[in-house]
Amino acid sequence: MTVMLGLEPLQVGLMFWTGGDLGVEAPPAEIATSVSSLGVSCGQLGVHGECPLDDATANRWKAVLDEHGLTVVTVVMCFSGEDYASIPICAQTVGYVPPSTRHEREIRTYAVSDFARTLGVPGLAAHIGFVPADPLDAEYAAMVALMRRICDHCQTNGQTFAMETGQESPQEMLDFIAAVNRPNLRVNFDPANMVLYGSGAPLEALDALRDHVLTVHCKDGTWPEVAGEWGRETPLGDGDVGMDQFVAKLREIGYTGPLTIEREIVGEEQRADIRRAIDLLTALRG
Ligand code: MG
Protein backbone atom coordinates (compact mmCIF):
# COMPACT_ATOMS: atom_id res chain seq x y z
CA MET A 1 0.00 0.00 0.00
CA THR A 2 1.40 3.38 -0.90
CA VAL A 3 1.44 6.44 1.28
CA MET A 4 -1.33 8.76 0.21
CA LEU A 5 -0.92 12.25 -1.17
CA GLY A 6 2.34 12.97 0.64
CA LEU A 7 0.80 12.35 4.06
CA GLU A 8 2.65 10.67 6.89
CA PRO A 9 1.69 7.03 7.50
CA LEU A 10 -1.29 6.86 9.88
CA GLN A 11 -1.61 10.64 9.94
CA VAL A 12 -4.52 11.70 12.11
CA GLY A 13 -7.31 13.34 10.10
CA LEU A 14 -10.91 14.37 10.40
CA MET A 15 -14.19 13.65 8.64
CA PHE A 16 -15.91 17.02 8.13
CA TRP A 17 -18.96 18.09 6.14
CA THR A 18 -20.02 20.82 3.75
CA GLY A 19 -22.93 21.42 6.11
CA GLY A 20 -26.33 19.85 6.63
CA ASP A 21 -27.51 17.53 9.36
CA LEU A 22 -24.10 16.09 10.15
CA GLY A 23 -22.20 19.31 10.44
CA VAL A 24 -22.46 23.03 10.76
CA GLU A 25 -24.31 25.27 8.33
CA ALA A 26 -21.40 27.48 7.54
CA PRO A 27 -19.44 28.81 4.57
CA PRO A 28 -16.41 26.77 3.42
CA ALA A 29 -13.93 29.24 4.91
CA GLU A 30 -15.53 28.90 8.34
CA ILE A 31 -15.58 25.09 8.18
CA ALA A 32 -11.95 24.88 7.03
CA THR A 33 -10.89 27.29 9.79
CA SER A 34 -12.76 25.19 12.34
CA VAL A 35 -11.09 21.97 11.12
CA SER A 36 -7.59 23.35 11.01
CA SER A 37 -8.01 24.95 14.45
CA LEU A 38 -8.27 21.40 15.83
CA GLY A 39 -4.71 20.83 14.65
CA VAL A 40 -5.35 18.39 11.81
CA SER A 41 -4.21 18.88 8.22
CA CYS A 42 -5.93 16.03 6.40
CA GLY A 43 -9.32 14.44 6.23
CA GLN A 44 -12.36 13.45 4.27
CA LEU A 45 -14.85 16.02 3.03
CA GLY A 46 -18.47 14.96 3.34
CA VAL A 47 -20.78 16.46 0.72
CA HIS A 48 -24.36 16.53 1.89
CA GLY A 49 -27.21 15.99 -0.52
CA GLU A 50 -28.17 19.65 -0.87
CA CYS A 51 -24.65 20.98 -1.37
CA PRO A 52 -24.37 22.86 -4.66
CA LEU A 53 -21.77 21.29 -6.94
CA ASP A 54 -21.22 24.15 -9.39
CA ASP A 55 -17.74 25.30 -10.35
CA ALA A 56 -17.94 28.39 -8.13
CA THR A 57 -18.61 26.24 -5.04
CA ALA A 58 -15.87 23.78 -5.99
CA ASN A 59 -13.38 26.59 -6.55
CA ARG A 60 -14.31 28.20 -3.23
CA TRP A 61 -13.68 24.89 -1.45
CA LYS A 62 -10.39 24.38 -3.29
CA ALA A 63 -9.21 27.85 -2.30
CA VAL A 64 -9.97 27.43 1.41
CA LEU A 65 -8.51 23.91 1.58
CA ASP A 66 -5.32 25.19 -0.05
CA GLU A 67 -5.23 28.23 2.20
CA HIS A 68 -5.41 26.04 5.34
CA GLY A 69 -3.12 23.33 3.98
CA LEU A 70 -5.87 20.74 4.35
CA THR A 71 -5.40 17.60 2.26
CA VAL A 72 -8.66 15.86 1.42
CA VAL A 73 -8.18 12.19 0.60
CA THR A 74 -11.82 11.36 -0.13
CA VAL A 75 -15.06 13.11 -0.89
CA VAL A 76 -17.78 11.25 1.02
CA MET A 77 -21.34 11.53 -0.27
CA CYS A 78 -24.69 11.31 1.36
CA PHE A 79 -27.95 11.87 -0.47
CA SER A 80 -31.11 13.88 0.09
CA GLY A 81 -33.84 11.69 1.56
CA GLU A 82 -31.57 9.33 3.49
CA ASP A 83 -32.83 8.59 6.99
CA TYR A 84 -30.83 6.78 9.67
CA ALA A 85 -33.66 6.75 12.26
CA SER A 86 -33.59 2.96 12.51
CA ILE A 87 -31.93 0.11 10.62
CA PRO A 88 -35.15 -0.78 8.68
CA ILE A 89 -35.66 2.89 7.68
CA CYS A 90 -32.00 3.09 6.79
CA ALA A 91 -32.42 0.06 4.51
CA GLN A 92 -35.37 1.75 2.77
CA THR A 93 -33.71 5.12 2.24
CA VAL A 94 -29.91 4.91 2.11
CA GLY A 95 -27.60 4.70 -0.88
CA TYR A 96 -28.36 3.34 -4.32
CA VAL A 97 -30.49 0.38 -3.26
CA PRO A 98 -33.91 2.14 -3.06
CA PRO A 99 -35.14 1.91 -6.68
CA SER A 100 -37.15 5.15 -6.64
CA THR A 101 -34.07 7.35 -6.06
CA ARG A 102 -31.43 5.17 -7.72
CA HIS A 103 -31.23 7.05 -10.99
CA GLU A 104 -31.11 10.56 -9.50
CA ARG A 105 -28.42 9.44 -7.04
CA GLU A 106 -26.38 7.90 -9.84
CA ILE A 107 -26.49 11.24 -11.70
CA ARG A 108 -25.64 13.10 -8.48
CA THR A 109 -22.65 10.77 -7.95
CA TYR A 110 -21.21 11.70 -11.34
CA ALA A 111 -21.57 15.37 -10.39
CA VAL A 112 -19.85 14.75 -7.03
CA SER A 113 -17.05 12.89 -8.82
CA ASP A 114 -16.54 15.87 -11.12
CA PHE A 115 -16.69 18.24 -8.11
CA ALA A 116 -13.99 16.14 -6.39
CA ARG A 117 -11.85 16.25 -9.54
CA THR A 118 -11.96 20.07 -9.43
CA LEU A 119 -10.75 19.83 -5.81
CA GLY A 120 -8.00 17.43 -6.86
CA VAL A 121 -9.40 14.68 -4.62
CA PRO A 122 -8.53 11.15 -5.80
CA GLY A 123 -11.50 9.23 -4.44
CA LEU A 124 -15.17 9.12 -3.51
CA ALA A 125 -16.89 7.13 -0.77
CA ALA A 126 -20.47 6.45 0.27
CA HIS A 127 -22.81 4.11 2.01
CA ILE A 128 -24.15 2.37 -1.09
CA GLY A 129 -27.11 0.91 0.83
CA PHE A 130 -28.12 -2.56 1.94
CA VAL A 131 -27.13 -4.70 -1.02
CA PRO A 132 -29.36 -7.82 -1.10
CA ALA A 133 -27.59 -10.81 0.45
CA ASP A 134 -28.85 -13.10 -2.32
CA PRO A 135 -26.84 -12.72 -5.56
CA LEU A 136 -29.84 -14.14 -7.46
CA ASP A 137 -32.02 -11.20 -6.34
CA ALA A 138 -32.77 -9.02 -9.40
CA GLU A 139 -31.76 -5.93 -7.42
CA TYR A 140 -28.34 -7.48 -6.85
CA ALA A 141 -27.62 -7.55 -10.57
CA ALA A 142 -28.90 -3.98 -10.87
CA MET A 143 -26.52 -2.87 -8.10
CA VAL A 144 -23.58 -4.65 -9.73
CA ALA A 145 -24.30 -2.92 -13.05
CA LEU A 146 -24.73 0.44 -11.31
CA MET A 147 -21.47 0.15 -9.38
CA ARG A 148 -19.64 -0.71 -12.61
CA ARG A 149 -20.96 2.49 -14.22
CA ILE A 150 -20.03 4.55 -11.15
CA CYS A 151 -16.55 3.04 -10.91
CA ASP A 152 -16.01 3.63 -14.62
CA HIS A 153 -17.03 7.28 -14.29
CA CYS A 154 -14.68 7.67 -11.30
CA GLN A 155 -11.92 6.01 -13.34
CA THR A 156 -12.22 8.69 -16.03
CA ASN A 157 -11.51 11.21 -13.23
CA GLY A 158 -8.60 9.11 -11.91
CA GLN A 159 -10.58 8.27 -8.76
CA THR A 160 -11.32 5.32 -6.55
CA PHE A 161 -14.80 4.64 -5.17
CA ALA A 162 -14.86 3.28 -1.61
CA MET A 163 -17.84 1.47 -0.11
CA GLU A 164 -18.44 2.32 3.54
CA THR A 165 -18.66 -0.76 5.75
CA GLY A 166 -21.49 -1.70 8.07
CA GLN A 167 -24.48 -2.59 5.98
CA GLU A 168 -23.18 -5.96 4.82
CA SER A 169 -21.21 -8.76 6.42
CA PRO A 170 -17.55 -8.89 5.35
CA GLN A 171 -18.21 -11.95 3.18
CA GLU A 172 -21.15 -10.28 1.44
CA MET A 173 -18.94 -7.27 0.77
CA LEU A 174 -16.14 -9.45 -0.64
CA ASP A 175 -18.61 -11.27 -2.90
CA PHE A 176 -20.08 -7.97 -4.12
CA ILE A 177 -16.63 -6.50 -4.84
CA ALA A 178 -15.75 -9.63 -6.81
CA ALA A 179 -19.02 -9.42 -8.75
CA VAL A 180 -18.46 -5.75 -9.67
CA ASN A 181 -14.90 -6.59 -10.67
CA ARG A 182 -13.51 -3.07 -10.99
CA PRO A 183 -9.96 -2.31 -9.74
CA ASN A 184 -10.93 1.12 -8.40
CA LEU A 185 -13.74 -0.23 -6.17
CA ARG A 186 -12.35 -0.15 -2.63
CA VAL A 187 -13.47 -0.08 1.00
CA ASN A 188 -13.65 2.69 3.58
CA PHE A 189 -13.48 0.57 6.72
CA ASP A 190 -15.46 1.94 9.64
CA PRO A 191 -15.00 -0.39 12.63
CA ALA A 192 -17.78 1.24 14.63
CA ASN A 193 -20.30 0.58 11.87
CA MET A 194 -19.58 -3.15 12.11
CA VAL A 195 -20.53 -2.87 15.79
CA LEU A 196 -23.42 -0.41 15.46
CA TYR A 197 -25.14 -2.41 12.71
CA GLY A 198 -24.21 -5.72 14.34
CA SER A 199 -22.53 -6.74 11.06
CA GLY A 200 -19.49 -8.55 12.45
CA ALA A 201 -16.53 -8.34 14.82
CA PRO A 202 -14.54 -5.34 13.53
CA LEU A 203 -11.01 -6.74 13.74
CA GLU A 204 -11.99 -9.97 12.00
CA ALA A 205 -13.84 -7.93 9.38
CA LEU A 206 -10.77 -5.77 8.82
CA ASP A 207 -8.69 -8.90 8.37
CA ALA A 208 -11.18 -10.29 5.84
CA LEU A 209 -11.31 -7.05 3.85
CA ARG A 210 -7.61 -6.18 4.19
CA ASP A 211 -6.79 -6.36 0.48
CA HIS A 212 -9.58 -3.91 -0.35
CA VAL A 213 -9.25 -1.30 2.40
CA LEU A 214 -8.24 2.11 1.03
CA THR A 215 -9.16 4.34 3.98
CA VAL A 216 -10.60 4.01 7.47
CA HIS A 217 -12.80 5.87 9.88
CA CYS A 218 -11.79 6.00 13.51
CA LYS A 219 -15.15 5.82 15.21
CA ASP A 220 -16.38 3.85 18.21
CA GLY A 221 -19.62 2.43 19.52
CA THR A 222 -21.31 -0.26 21.54
CA TRP A 223 -23.06 -3.38 20.25
CA PRO A 224 -26.85 -3.29 19.84
CA GLU A 225 -28.70 -4.36 22.96
CA VAL A 226 -31.51 -5.73 20.79
CA ALA A 227 -30.69 -7.53 17.53
CA GLY A 228 -31.84 -5.46 14.56
CA GLU A 229 -31.63 -2.16 16.45
CA TRP A 230 -28.76 0.31 16.45
CA GLY A 231 -25.90 0.12 18.83
CA ARG A 232 -24.80 3.43 20.34
CA GLU A 233 -22.00 5.61 18.97
CA THR A 234 -19.55 6.69 21.67
CA PRO A 235 -16.52 8.96 21.94
CA LEU A 236 -13.42 7.25 20.54
CA GLY A 237 -11.98 4.80 23.04
CA ASP A 238 -15.20 4.42 25.05
CA GLY A 239 -16.91 1.82 22.84
CA ASP A 240 -16.46 -1.84 21.95
CA VAL A 241 -14.07 -1.47 18.98
CA GLY A 242 -10.83 -1.47 21.00
CA MET A 243 -8.89 1.39 19.40
CA ASP A 244 -5.48 0.13 20.46
CA GLN A 245 -6.18 -3.24 18.84
CA PHE A 246 -7.66 -1.54 15.79
CA VAL A 247 -4.55 0.57 15.20
CA ALA A 248 -2.33 -2.46 15.86
CA LYS A 249 -4.32 -4.44 13.30
CA LEU A 250 -3.99 -1.63 10.74
CA ARG A 251 -0.22 -1.79 11.16
CA GLU A 252 -0.29 -5.59 10.85
CA ILE A 253 -2.11 -5.46 7.50
CA GLY A 254 0.31 -2.78 6.22
CA TYR A 255 -2.20 0.07 6.20
CA THR A 256 -0.44 3.42 5.81
CA GLY A 257 -3.35 5.76 5.02
CA PRO A 258 -4.75 8.35 7.40
CA LEU A 259 -6.63 7.70 10.63
CA THR A 260 -9.72 9.75 9.92
CA ILE A 261 -11.76 10.56 13.01
CA GLU A 262 -15.52 10.47 12.54
CA ARG A 263 -17.80 11.67 15.35
CA GLU A 264 -21.41 11.86 14.26
CA ILE A 265 -22.75 14.44 16.64
CA VAL A 266 -22.59 18.22 16.35
CA GLY A 267 -21.60 21.21 18.44
CA GLU A 268 -19.16 21.71 21.28
CA GLU A 269 -19.47 18.12 22.51
CA GLN A 270 -18.34 16.94 19.07
CA ARG A 271 -15.30 19.23 19.16
CA ALA A 272 -14.40 18.08 22.69
CA ASP A 273 -14.68 14.42 21.64
CA ILE A 274 -12.60 15.09 18.52
CA ARG A 275 -9.85 16.69 20.61
CA ARG A 276 -9.77 13.62 22.86
CA ALA A 277 -9.75 11.35 19.82
CA ILE A 278 -6.78 13.24 18.31
CA ASP A 279 -4.87 12.77 21.57
CA LEU A 280 -5.75 9.07 21.73
CA LEU A 281 -4.77 8.34 18.13
CA THR A 282 -1.61 10.46 18.34
CA ALA A 283 -0.55 8.31 21.31
CA LEU A 284 -1.49 5.04 19.59
CA ARG A 285 0.29 5.79 16.31
CA GLY A 286 3.44 6.61 18.30
MG1 MG B 1 -18.05 6.11 8.77
Side-chain angles (χ1 to χ4, degrees):
M1 242 178 263
T2 52
V3 176
M4 232 179 247
L5 298 169
L7 301 176
E8 295 170 22
L10 306 182
Q11 187 168 327
V12 178
L14 183 64
M15 173 80 230
F16 59 100
W17 286 84
T18 55
D21 291 338
L22 293 174
V24 287
E25 289 291 355
E30 200 173 312
I31 296 171
T33 301
S34 165
V35 171
S36 79
S37 73
L38 288 161
V40 295
S41 57
C42 69
Q44 295 181 320
L45 173 63
V47 172
H48 67 87
E50 293 78 30
C51 178
L53 300 172
D54 55 279
D55 286 348
T57 305
N59 288 326
R60 197 172 309 130
W61 269 105
K62 182 163 177 26
V64 300
L65 293 169
D66 288 349
E67 185 188 329
H68 288 275
L70 283 170
T71 300
V72 171
V73 299
T74 311
V75 166
V76 178
M77 283 168 291
C78 64
F79 300 105
S80 300
E82 292 184 329
D83 187 343
Y84 285 82
S86 69
I87 290 179
I89 291 173
C90 186
Q92 288 163 20
T93 62
V94 168
Y96 306 106
V97 175
S100 64
T101 49
R102 186 177 296 154
H103 180 68
E104 70 188 50
R105 290 177 181 180
E106 178 180 357
I107 300 301
R108 171 86 181 168
T109 300
Y110 299 151
V112 174
S113 171
D114 297 348
F115 176 87
R117 181 191 58 199
T118 303
L119 267 54
V121 176
L124 300 192
H127 274 293
I128 69 165
F130 287 70
V131 176
D134 179 4
L136 299 177
D137 188 310
E139 293 300 307
Y140 192 93
M143 284 295 290
V144 168
L146 170 79
M147 286 313 303
R148 286 179 177 164
R149 293 194 296 275
I150 288 174
C151 286
D152 291 347
H153 184 96
C154 288
Q155 188 65 50
T156 65
N157 283 331
Q159 294 162 338
T160 47
F161 183 97
M163 296 168 61
E164 178 90 1
T165 54
Q167 295 167 346
E168 292 79 29
S169 70
Q171 188 58 51
E172 287 165 357
M173 209 168 207
L174 287 170
D175 292 344
F176 184 73
I177 290 168
V180 175
N181 193 25
R182 288 294 186 271
N184 61 331
L185 180 61
R186 305 292 295 275
V187 168
N188 184 74
F189 188 85
D190 185 325
N193 284 350
M194 304 307 296
V195 171
L196 296 170
Y197 286 83
S199 299
L203 298 184
E204 289 168 27
L206 178 56
D207 211 27
L209 293 163
R210 59 196 292 164
D211 294 339
H212 305 278
V213 172
L214 179 72
T215 45
V216 300
H217 282 164
C218 292
K219 191 172 85 183
D220 213 340
T222 55
W223 290 100
E225 290 179 14
V226 179
E229 292 185 7
W230 290 119
R232 185 175 55 85
E233 193 199 343
T234 67
L236 204 71
D238 293 354
D240 292 331
V241 169
M243 270 304 136
D244 50 347
Q245 294 163 292
F246 179 59
V247 173
K249 189 74 183 177
L250 287 172
R251 286 188 203 280
E252 183 195 316
I253 68 168
Y255 177 80
T256 55
L259 302 176
T260 303
I261 295 164
E262 183 177 40
R263 181 66 172 122
E264 302 195 87
I265 59 173
V266 294
E268 268 314 301
E269 189 185 346
Q270 184 197 37
R271 286 181 70 80
D273 288 351
I274 289 168
R275 285 194 188 91
R276 272 184 57 203
I278 291 170
D279 290 346
L280 175 64
L281 291 173
T282 301
L284 289 176
R285 71 186 283 269

